């Protein structure tokens, strides 16, 4: 498709997910005239808040933001733009139907103290395990900060990158350096079993090795997912639990406000149907409305499969690249259930202590129950007893229910495993049955919770695709497994944020270092885009709008 210029921008960013907004913020800060075009009616993508009942707002999809890069918060001045982070003391409360619970805190000593009653061995092992997770994750954080090397024509920068990574690796020390090489391809179930004997503790930690992924705890490479989830934040063995006050949408609003203040234009209800090209080079975007907008650089925050297969002209992309893009793995297995409750649910294992319910409430009673829940999805069936990660964010952030009747709470429940492709039936017909199964699991640890439900919303992987543009309903835009890690994310040869069409970039979760609310791919992509913009400026092909880059 060729294009007529209607407006002149230096860069157009497709989508207003949090990563797109981060990229737009950095590009604008450096003086590029940047336009963000989002197909939904509001910004944020998966970082979204829904008013599910009058005055009661619930995180539509994601609920915690503790992986957000501190440098993004600082560079884009997000606090000034309204972002307030809330970090409850309890990271994880994992109740069992037998009325006991495992509690993980950010402070490993405090967690270990609570483990004494269960297993002296586990209590003794926990601080060292936590230390190991933090140290090994630090190396992954060093990888996350870098743009993967150029494998086609490596240059001086790639040699420097090798040196930096070599230094980070040596910094692990001999023992931890050996350990990381051994651990990355491991099944997370084996990794946690090396340190702990209690099944409930193994499961509570291993969960983050499979969360959002089509992996079970016995799948190879799931230990790497756990370590990746702890990279670049204060996660450790417990993982993070941090909320944005006002809900995830408040984070998106802060990012959009920051980008606008820095000069970006953000348009919603603007569905991109094509990346326009001329002579194999991106020239702008075409919207569903028929409008075409020109820019020499187009940056996609949509997932890589959607970007390459749906938005780029097949002739421009070529058959082998289309084949490769078609094989990017996006097997969504996550559903979401949102509840408005007339009061705080009673978890016998919490003994009436509401503070315990402020973190992530994990219903994953053991390694085998997680694996069995995964098994169902392998054969195209939703799990009968899905693993649940729930939060009651209104306990930490009453503003979410400030307009609702006294006592109202909102509950956000991530349910896994629910496969995108059902072997029998379809999701439109199976949606409420899934909601009922989630309620049954919740009833097993919080008897009577169903009677508190004032409103319920069930979002299936198909809804994630239809409403949020996630191909295959995948929460992370592509699997977090080792075959789509670093150099291979999203595709070998295209991990440097530059896609196979000149002038087209990827800035979302499908790019290195992957998904979660971190802003990391968006931040890294901006660095590469700005480097290319500078290069073009030096070559005299573009004039910047403002000084600064
Ligand atoms: C149910 C669920 C729960 C989760 N929970 C957590 C959590 O608690 N903590 C956490 O850290 N992570 C969580 N995640 C993962 C995390 O939310 C995602 O990895 C992250 O939000 C992705 O951000 P993004 O900016 O890369 O992409 P997205 O948020 O997917 O944004 C992409 C944007 O592009 C837009 N778009 C797509 N196509 C077009 C087009 N053609 N034209 C215009 N716009 C387009 C979309 O509408 C969307 O707004 C969760 C994910 C899901 C699904």
């Amino acid at each position: 498709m060729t294009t007529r210029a209607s407006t002149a921008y230096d860069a157009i960013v497709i989508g207003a997910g949090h990563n797109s907004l981060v990229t737009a913020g950095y590009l604008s800060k450096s003086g590029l005239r940047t336009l963000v075009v989002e197909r939904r009616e509001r910004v944020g993508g998966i970082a979204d808040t829904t008013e599910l009942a009058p005055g009661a707002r619930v995180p539509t999809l994601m609920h915690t933001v503790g992986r957000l890069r501190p440098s993004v918060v600082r560079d884009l001045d997000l606090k000034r733009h309204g972002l307030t982070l809330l970090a409850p003391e309890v990271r994880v409360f994992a109740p069992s139907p037998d009325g006991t619970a495992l509690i993980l805190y950010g402070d490993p000593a405090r967690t270990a103290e609570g483990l004494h009653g269960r297993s002296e061995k586990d209590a003794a092992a926990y601080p060292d395990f936590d230390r190991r997770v933090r140290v090994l994750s630090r190396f992954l954080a060093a990888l996350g900060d870098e743009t993967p090397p150029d494998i086609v024509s490596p240059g001086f920068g790639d040699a420097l990158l090798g040196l930096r990574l070599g230094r980070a690796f040596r910094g692990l020390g001999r023992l931890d350096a050996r350990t990381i090489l051994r651990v990355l391809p491991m099944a997370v179930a084996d990794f946690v079993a090396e340190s702990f004997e209690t099944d409930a503790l193994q499961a509570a930690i291993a969960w983050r090795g499979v969360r959002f992924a089509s992996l079970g705890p016995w799948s190879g490479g799931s230990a790497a997912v756990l370590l990746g989830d702890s990279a670049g934040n204060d996660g450790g063995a417990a993982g993070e639990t941090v909320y944005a006050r006002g809900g995830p949408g408040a984070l998106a609003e802060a990012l959009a406000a920051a980008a606008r203040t820095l000069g970006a234009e953000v348009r919603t209800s603007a569905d991109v149907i094509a990346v326009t090209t001329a002579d194999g080079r991106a020239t702008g975007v075409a919207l569903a409305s028929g409008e075409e907008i020109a820019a020499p650089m187009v940056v996609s925050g949509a997932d890589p499969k959607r970007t390459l297969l749906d938005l780029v002209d097949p002739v421009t992309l070529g058959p082998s690249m289309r084949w490769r893009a078609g094989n990017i793995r996006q097997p969504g297995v996550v559903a979401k259930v949102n509840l408005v409750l007339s009061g705080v649910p009673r978890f016998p294992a919490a003994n009436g202590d509401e503070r315990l319910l402020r973190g992530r409430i994990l219903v994953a009673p053991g390694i085998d129950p997680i694996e069995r829940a995964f098994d169902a999805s392998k054969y195209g069936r939703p799990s009968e007893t899905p693993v649940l990660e729930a939060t009651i964010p209104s306990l930490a952030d009453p503003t979410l229910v400030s307009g609702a009747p006294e006592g109202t709470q909102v509950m956000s429940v991530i349910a896994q495993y629910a496969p995108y492709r059902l072997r029998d039936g379809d999701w439109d017909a199976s949606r409420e049955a899934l909601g009922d199964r989630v309620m049954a699991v919740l009833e097993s640890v919080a008897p009577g919770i169903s009677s508190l439900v004032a409103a319920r919303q069930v979002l299936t992987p198909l809804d994630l695709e239809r409403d949020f543009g996630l191909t295959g309903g995948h929460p992370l835009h592509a699997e977090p497994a080792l075959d789509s890690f670093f150099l291979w994310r999203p595709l070998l040869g295209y991990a440097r944020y530059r896609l196979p069409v000149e002038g087209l970039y990827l800035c979302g979760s499908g790019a290195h270092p992957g998904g979660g609310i971190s802003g990391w791919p968006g931040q890294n992509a901006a660095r590469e885009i700005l480097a290319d913009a500078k290069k073009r400026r030096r070559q005299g092909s573009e004039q910047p709008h403002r000084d600064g880059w």
Side-chain angles (χ1 to χ4, degrees):
M1 189 183 286
T2 52
T3 183
R4 272 175 299 112
S6 64
T7 328
Y9 295 98
D10 298 311
I12 296 172
V13 182
I14 301 172
H18 85 286
N19 275 311
S20 292
L21 294 170
V22 167
T23 301
Y26 279 102
L27 297 187
S28 304
K29 193 173 178 178
S30 293
L32 294 197
R33 292 165 304 174
T34 305
L35 171 69
V36 179
V37 274
E38 164 59 49
R39 61 190 274 277
R40 299 187 78 232
E41 72 287 357
R42 54 185 188 255
V43 296
I46 302 175
D48 189 57
T49 313
T50 297
E51 182 157 339
L52 194 53
R57 288 172 303 131
V58 59
T60 319
L61 295 174
M62 49 71 47
H63 43 207
T64 61
V65 301
R67 298 196 59 221
L68 187 62
R69 310 280 299 141
S71 52
V72 167
V73 176
R74 202 177 46 238
D75 294 348
L76 300 181
D77 212 357
L78 295 185
K79 291 194 174 151
R80 190 165 68 84
H81 291 287
L83 178 66
T84 304
L85 299 176
L86 305 170
E89 279 193 315
V90 172
R91 298 265 175 99
V92 177
F93 168 72
S96 291
D98 67 6
T100 62
L102 199 102
I103 299 156
L104 307 183
Y105 296 92
D107 174 8
R110 192 166 175 195
T111 302
E113 210 177 289
L115 292 173
H116 281 296
R118 284 182 179 255
S119 156
E120 289 308 321
K121 177 177 179 284
D122 289 358
Y126 189 84
D128 187 52
F129 181 84
D130 181 78
R131 183 207 66 82
R132 197 175 321 143
V133 168
R134 286 172 197 268
V135 169
L136 302 183
S137 300
R138 218 171 288 147
F139 176 69
L140 293 187
L143 276 186
D145 283 338
E146 301 288 354
T147 297
D150 188 343
I151 57 162
V152 180
S153 46
F156 183 60
D158 299 296
L160 289 181
L161 165 64
L163 285 176
R164 279 197 301 277
L165 291 182
R167 201 177 314 127
F169 187 70
R170 271 203 313 279
L172 287 171
R174 198 144 55 129
L175 186 62
D176 287 326
R178 284 181 191 161
T179 304
I180 197 164
L181 293 177
R182 184 179 66 84
V183 162
L184 287 179
M186 275 177 86
V188 72
D190 283 325
F191 180 48
V192 293
E194 287 183 346
S195 298
F196 306 119
E197 61 184 9
T198 313
D199 194 23
L201 177 60
Q202 292 178 2
I205 296 173
W207 159 242
R208 287 191 301 122
V210 300
R211 185 175 51 180
F212 309 131
S214 185
L215 298 171
W218 293 109
S219 303
S222 45
V225 181
L226 167 70
L227 295 178
D229 191 62
S230 292
N233 62 81
D234 180 36
E240 58 75 24
T241 305
V242 178
Y243 304 109
R245 190 200 297 274
L251 166 66
E253 289 299 338
L255 282 164
R260 284 188 174 112
T261 303
L262 291 163
E265 199 180 313
V266 181
R267 282 172 63 179
T268 52
S269 303
D271 188 3
V272 174
I273 54 162
V275 171
T276 55
T277 56
D279 301 327
R281 196 181 195 300
T283 56
V285 298
L287 302 185
S289 62
E291 186 183 357
E292 291 187 10
I293 311 172
M297 291 190 290
V298 177
V299 187
S300 177
D303 70 67
K305 201 181 251 178
R306 178 168 299 257
T307 301
L308 292 172
L309 296 189
D310 294 356
L311 302 184
V312 176
D313 174 30
V315 175
T316 304
L317 194 62
S320 66
M321 192 46 67
R322 270 186 73 80
W323 175 79
R324 289 183 65 193
N327 284 328
I328 295 173
R329 294 194 303 114
Q330 294 167 309
V333 289
V334 173
K336 186 77 200 299
V337 175
N338 295 320
L339 303 171
V340 176
L341 303 173
S342 57
V344 181
R346 196 183 65 82
F347 287 80
N351 254 330
D353 187 350
E354 279 181 12
R355 285 171 310 176
L356 297 180
L357 307 179
R358 292 183 183 182
R360 287 178 286 120
I361 300 167
L362 180 60
V363 193
I367 292 288
D368 286 349
I370 304 180
E371 186 71 19
R372 272 196 292 274
F374 169 54
D375 281 345
S377 72
K378 282 194 295 200
Y379 304 108
R381 293 191 313 271
S383 162
E384 286 297 323
T385 46
V387 179
L388 307 184
E389 181 188 280
T391 54
I392 310 177
S394 46
L395 286 175
D397 175 14
T399 67
L400 289 170
V401 288
S402 54
E406 185 72 24
T408 301
Q409 302 292 340
V410 289
M411 191 170 197
S412 155
V413 189
I414 293 169
Q416 201 168 314
Y417 297 78
Y420 169 76
R421 269 186 219 295
L422 287 180
R423 185 179 179 146
D424 303 309
D426 64 73
W427 271 120
D428 285 328
S430 315
R431 181 178 291 106
E432 294 309 321
L434 173 69
D436 293 345
R437 273 198 287 272
V438 167
M439 290 312 301
V441 175
L442 284 175
E443 278 285 340
S444 72
V445 289
I449 188 171
S450 304
S451 65
L452 300 176
V453 175
R456 177 172 109 171
Q457 176 187 40
V458 182
L459 296 166
T460 70
L462 185 63
D463 298 320
L464 299 194
E465 181 173 77
R466 284 195 297 221
D467 301 347
F468 292 85
L470 299 166
T471 307
H474 203 293
L476 309 178
H477 290 198
E479 271 289 273
L482 285 174
D483 64 329
S484 48
F485 174 74
F486 196 51
L487 270 174
W488 286 268
R489 195 167 185 90
L491 289 168
L492 187 65
Y494 299 97
R496 295 168 56 75
Y497 308 97
R498 297 162 182 88
L499 289 176
V501 175
E502 210 192 325
L504 178 62
Y505 301 82
L506 189 70
C507 71
S509 293
H512 170 72
I517 298 292
S518 66
W520 221 338
Q523 191 182 40
N524 286 358
R527 185 179 61 227
E528 295 304 316
I529 295 162
L530 287 168
D532 286 359
K534 243 183 196 169
K535 220 178 283 168
R536 266 216 309 281
R537 185 188 178 198
R538 272 202 304 272
Q539 290 162 355
S541 58
E542 299 293 332
Q543 289 304 315
H545 181 56
R546 302 199 306 264
D547 282 331
W549 51 271

